[in-house]
Amino acid sequence: MKTESPRHLRNPLLALLFLAAAAASAAQIAMAAEPEQQAPAAQEAAVHIVYVDRPEDADPEEFHIRTLAPVLGSEEKARGAVLYHYKHAASGFSAKLTTEQVEDLKKQPGVLQVVPSQTYQLHGHEGGHASTTRTMGLM
């Protein structure tokens, strides 16, 4: 007695499509589980430029530290996080901050804007490239 295999197994193309669909479903299930594993990577710190009101009666660097300290938990941590103080053309500082810290910092009194730092390549004349890169925030 001859047993007949299911119809979808007799056509190799249909069998291949079935396997591809099963693999895609498995990949979607695996990707749905990944965000929990990737959550710490989302908290990776990046350099941001923080623009603040110019303090009239305080040292700008101390004002920057006092602005950042509540977000990081202490003035010591704030001093360690600040990369540069802007005191002349703009008032602010740059620091390595996580996305959550950026959102908390935006709520601090005197903070005008927090933007990711960006590096631009300066181009020279006649197709050459200048050897200088600049890191700056944009207002």
Side-chain angles (χ1 to χ4, degrees):
M1 179 160 123
K2 183 178 177 182
T3 58
E4 209 169 296
S5 59
R7 187 175 199 166
H8 68 278
L9 294 179
R10 282 187 273 164
N11 185 335
L13 184 57
L14 285 177
L16 185 59
L17 288 173
F18 176 78
L19 290 173
S25 294
Q28 286 176 339
I29 292 169
M31 286 175 26
E34 283 183 33
E36 295 173 338
Q37 296 169 355
Q38 291 179 352
Q43 289 298 315
E44 194 170 309
V47 177
H48 287 76
I49 310 296
V50 181
Y51 295 99
V52 297
D53 286 327
R54 189 174 304 276
E56 293 182 22
D57 59 345
D59 174 64
E61 292 184 16
E62 288 303 313
F63 180 77
H64 301 159
I65 298 302
R66 285 197 313 269
T67 301
L68 186 56
V71 173
L72 300 184
S74 72
E75 286 190 6
E76 183 179 331
K77 288 180 182 177
R79 286 185 208 292
V82 171
L83 302 172
Y84 188 82
H85 294 276
Y86 300 97
K87 302 179 277 187
H88 302 289
S91 179
F93 58 93
S94 61
K96 259 188 143 175
L97 304 167
T98 65
T99 304
E100 184 178 321
Q101 291 168 337
V102 167
E103 292 307 312
D104 289 345
L105 189 57
K106 287 178 179 179
K107 299 172 190 171
Q108 295 298 311
V111 173
L112 301 174
Q113 186 178 29
V114 182
V115 295
S117 178
Q118 298 179 3
T119 301
Y120 296 93
Q121 178 70 39
L122 302 178
H123 297 280
H125 296 294
E126 300 170 17
H129 294 286
S131 61
T132 305
T133 56
R134 293 216 93 108
T135 303
M136 61 181 72
L138 301 173
M139 278 187 87

